[in-house]
Amino acid sequence: MAVLHQFDYIFAIGMTFAFLDAWNIGANDVANSFATSVSSRSLTLKQAMLIATVCEFAGAVLVGARVADTIRNKVLSVAAFNKEPTLLMLGMMCALIGSSTFLTVATKIGLPVSTTHCIVGGVVGVGIAALGADGVQWGWKGVAQIFAAWFVAPAIAGCFGAIVFSITKYGVLKRKDPFKAGLIQIPFYFALTSGILTMLIVWKGAASLSLSGWTAGQICGCIFGVALGVMALCTMFFLPYLHRRIMQEDWTVKWYHIFYGPLLLRRGPVPEKPRNTQIVQDYYRGHLTKEQLEASHIPEDPINDLEKSPKIPNAASTSRSSDDISADNAVGAHIMDIKPKSLAQEEQRELGPWYTPMNLYRKANYLFFRGVNIDVVSEQTHGKNSFLSGDIAAMHARTQHFDNKTEHMYSFLQVLTAATSSFAHGANDVSNALGPLSAIFLIWNSGKLSSKSPVPVWLLVYGAVAIVIGLWTYGYNIMRNLGNRLTLHSPSRGFSMELGSALTVVMATRLALPISTTQCITGATVGVGLCTGDIKAINWRMVAWIYMGWIITLPCTGIIAGCLMGIIINAPQWGHAL
């Protein structure tokens, strides 16, 4: 039973803006993570949404932090509010308002930002308003980490992404028989990827499993056990499937035949392939090579020049009297007065009023699923060019295309990295919205104050639902502004980007270095793009735009939250107006 009923409104406002903050985490942060998989065509938008829904929800609810830091990154001391815990309650509400407001604007304009830095910026603003500048921890264990993250995270992720893709490029993609080389190396890639992702879950994304007490031997045994187990399963089941389906082009083999394993090698002769049957999709469709782009520059038709020239009036038309012209104008005006019903009006008349069950269903379907039906890759490459996007076709033409069959193998690895990273993200980053809310709930419900706030399961479900709704309803907006608008994506490149990002998160977590998943994936994307050997294969204007978003995050959220906090605590009241 709540103790501080006089502050019910603070709890209600906190619940509202925590939902908005978590909604933006889904629409901005999660969408940014899955933009790589969708842009490379390893996953369709619907598949990405479904995988993210399951993994984010499971990560947040099953292994999400049951106890969260009351103040993320400890930029403020909770002890400063011991005498007035309700002020901390108010401060966390203001921090959520500042974070969610800035995140909403950033998501609307397609600017990927760090949701962790958003809430930390809000807390810093609250701290300055309530305690003064001296009340904020500006050192390495506080705000300084955020400044360092602008350079540390992208640089490390870029190096890891470039290393992974360089090994893939020269060890597989540029070999004489790249598919055969890929078949040999794919089990090792699966082992490496699953081992790294196990580290990611053990060290970063499994707060409620109490794995901090594990010995080094237990952790190593878990990591190597998972890696070797996945490698054995890949060799036994996945390689026969790839050999039969891709190498022998057996169009009758479906995805569920992978469970047949070695029995696929004893399958009979490959039946004749029907016409227009595609074994592997073209991962580079819509992206022209340099030669194709040059060939497409056809000069304008000379007829266009004639159309643009001034028209010579017809002699017959000039000989008409002014009375005839006036009569024609009168008839034309009468015809214009008769306004035909538009097609939309006719359709609305046939469908009936808006409140009929069918029309309500259609409107709800449009509101919730319109983002899922958007072709993100087409929006990226053929959408309206802007100053930020530049000449996308010319940028993509500078990037080499590789064998589609070999690229197809890496799409499976990319799905694995995307799904596991999403699971760890749901477990870790849901506390960006729920940490302040759990502090509000703790003070409102018990009147007590603690440096650690217990997070009830219903709050984890609340945050996870908001994240999923945000991804489904507006995640496409961030996705279409990233991916191929930064550099050309393909499954091999996307896998290298995501693995480079995951490696950075694992290393930084163990070394207590400041990182952000948003900054990691952006840095890895630039690192892989530089492996083309052409600096113009990267859209540097978009990179500068993203960097600008990181830099303004802290001051913007801090100003909003700090101003709101300062106005409220210093506002005149009845009986205390002066």
Side-chain angles (χ1 to χ4, degrees), residues 17-338:
F17 282 94
F19 187 91
L20 180 60
D21 204 51
W23 182 91
N24 277 289
I25 291 174
N28 195 304
D29 214 8
V30 180
N32 178 28
S33 301
F34 272 88
T36 306
S37 302
V38 176
S39 301
S40 63
R41 292 194 171 98
S42 292
L43 290 170
T44 64
L45 185 57
K46 287 183 180 179
Q47 290 170 339
M49 295 292 187
L50 291 171
I51 291 174
T53 298
V54 174
C55 294
E56 290 283 336
F57 194 89
V61 177
L62 297 181
V63 297
R66 296 293 188 269
V67 177
D69 287 327
T70 299
I71 299 177
R72 284 301 295 264
N73 287 31
K74 298 181 175 63
V75 293
L76 290 182
S77 173
V78 176
F81 295 91
N82 281 336
K83 294 182 179 180
E84 295 288 347
T86 53
L87 271 184
L88 180 61
M89 185 180 175
L90 175 66
M92 292 299 100
M93 181 196 77
C94 294
L96 283 172
I97 293 174
S99 174
S100 58
T101 301
F102 176 77
L103 268 175
T104 302
V105 175
T107 304
K108 175 61 180 177
I109 64 177
L111 181 65
V113 295
S114 169
T115 55
T116 302
H117 293 176
C118 281
I119 194 63
V120 171
V123 171
V124 168
V126 166
I128 294 175
L131 305 173
D134 294 337
V136 177
Q137 175 65 261
W138 297 101
W140 178 252
K141 292 184 178 180
V143 180
Q145 282 192 353
I146 296 173
F147 299 142
W150 298 339
F151 308 99
V152 173
I156 296 175
C159 291
F160 277 134
I163 291 170
V164 172
F165 183 67
S166 296
I167 294 172
T168 303
K169 180 179 178 180
Y170 294 105
V172 177
L173 298 173
K174 300 195 76 171
R175 297 285 292 273
K176 185 177 181 181
D177 189 348
F179 186 78
K180 186 176 180 181
L183 279 179
I184 295 172
Q185 294 192 17
I186 205 75
F188 297 99
Y189 274 116
F190 265 99
L192 174 65
T193 304
S194 58
I196 291 170
L197 296 176
T198 302
M199 295 182 205
L200 189 66
I201 293 175
V202 169
W203 284 334
K204 181 177 172 68
S208 68
L209 297 183
S210 301
L211 303 181
S212 57
W214 279 22
T215 64
Q218 288 175 312
I219 293 174
C220 289
C222 177
I223 293 169
F224 282 102
V226 171
L228 294 176
V230 170
M231 183 178 180
L233 291 173
C234 175
T235 305
M236 187 178 300
F237 293 97
F238 191 54
L239 290 189
Y241 169 80
L242 289 176
H243 181 271
R244 183 73 184 189
R245 171 73 180 176
I246 311 301
M247 181 175 282
Q248 295 187 347
E249 296 189 347
D250 189 348
W251 61 277
T252 62
V253 173
K254 307 299 181 184
W255 64 268
Y256 48 83
H257 288 138
I258 193 172
F259 299 107
Y260 287 21
L263 297 177
L264 288 174
L265 300 176
R266 303 182 64 180
R267 206 174 169 98
V270 177
E272 185 178 352
K273 185 172 66 173
R275 292 181 61 184
N276 301 325
T277 299
Q278 191 178 31
I279 300 297
V280 175
Q281 68 167 314
D282 182 7
Y283 289 99
Y284 293 99
R285 68 181 181 274
H287 308 303
L288 301 179
T289 61
K290 191 173 183 179
E291 294 76 15
Q292 291 171 337
L293 185 64
E294 291 173 352
S296 66
H297 290 163
I298 302 172
E300 289 187 5
D301 193 328
I303 296 175
N304 292 334
D305 297 333
L306 294 176
E307 292 178 347
K308 294 176 183 177
S309 62
K311 295 183 178 180
I312 302 173
N314 192 328
S317 63
T318 57
S319 63
R320 299 177 65 195
S321 66
S322 60
D323 293 338
D324 294 335
I325 295 173
S326 299
D328 289 345
N329 289 340
V331 173
H334 176 68
I335 293 173
M336 291 297 292
D337 288 337
I338 305 174

Side-chain angles (χ1 to χ4, degrees), residues 304-473:
N304 292 334
D305 297 333
L306 294 176
E307 292 178 347
K308 294 176 183 177
S309 62
K311 295 183 178 180
I312 302 173
N314 192 328
S317 63
T318 57
S319 63
R320 299 177 65 195
S321 66
S322 60
D323 293 338
D324 294 335
I325 295 173
S326 299
D328 289 345
N329 289 340
V331 173
H334 176 68
I335 293 173
M336 291 297 292
D337 288 337
I338 305 174
K339 295 181 179 179
K341 290 185 178 180
S342 65
L343 181 60
Q345 289 174 329
E346 289 292 336
E347 289 180 349
Q348 183 63 38
R349 185 180 63 81
E350 294 177 2
L351 292 174
W354 64 269
Y355 51 80
T356 59
M358 181 56 69
N359 286 339
L360 289 175
Y361 169 77
R362 286 174 176 166
K363 287 185 180 294
N365 187 65
Y366 172 77
L367 289 174
F368 289 103
F369 299 108
R370 68 188 179 106
V372 183
N373 298 320
I374 290 177
D375 186 352
V376 171
V377 179
S378 179
E379 289 274 333
Q380 291 170 344
T381 54
H382 303 299
K384 185 178 180 181
N385 284 346
S386 63
F387 172 76
L388 288 175
S389 61
D391 191 347
I392 297 176
M395 178 182 68
H396 289 174
R398 298 176 178 273
T399 306
Q400 184 178 358
H401 293 192
F402 298 110
D403 177 52
N404 266 301
K405 290 184 177 180
T406 310
E407 291 280 8
H408 185 64
M409 286 193 292
Y410 287 94
S411 66
F412 296 95
L413 283 165
Q414 193 175 8
V415 172
L416 177 64
T417 47
T420 314
S421 298
S422 176
F423 182 86
H425 178 274
N428 185 72
D429 283 21
V430 70
S431 58
N432 288 335
L434 298 187
L437 180 60
S438 61
I440 294 173
F441 176 73
L442 174 68
I443 298 170
W444 173 75
N445 190 54
S446 64
K448 298 178 182 178
L449 185 61
S450 173
S451 61
K452 296 284 186 178
S453 303
V455 183
V457 176
W458 68 267
L459 268 186
L460 291 172
V461 174
Y462 181 75
V465 169
I467 289 175
V468 170
I469 292 175
L471 177 65
W472 276 81
T473 54

Side-chain angles (χ1 to χ4, degrees), residues 441-522:
F441 176 73
L442 174 68
I443 298 170
W444 173 75
N445 190 54
S446 64
K448 298 178 182 178
L449 185 61
S450 173
S451 61
K452 296 284 186 178
S453 303
V455 183
V457 176
W458 68 267
L459 268 186
L460 291 172
V461 174
Y462 181 75
V465 169
I467 289 175
V468 170
I469 292 175
L471 177 65
W472 276 81
T473 54
Y474 208 54
Y476 69 90
N477 191 50
I478 286 290
M479 288 187 188
R480 69 183 177 186
N481 280 286
L482 296 175
N484 288 303
R485 290 194 176 183
L486 274 174
T487 189
L488 178 63
H489 281 53
S490 65
S492 61
R493 294 180 176 90
F495 161 69
S496 302
M497 295 168 190
E498 291 178 0
L499 188 61
S501 176
L503 277 166
T504 306
V505 172
V506 168
M507 188 194 76
T509 301
R510 294 309 297 168
L511 299 179
L513 294 174
I515 58 98
S516 165
T517 52
T518 301
Q519 294 162 353
C520 286
I521 192 64
T522 303

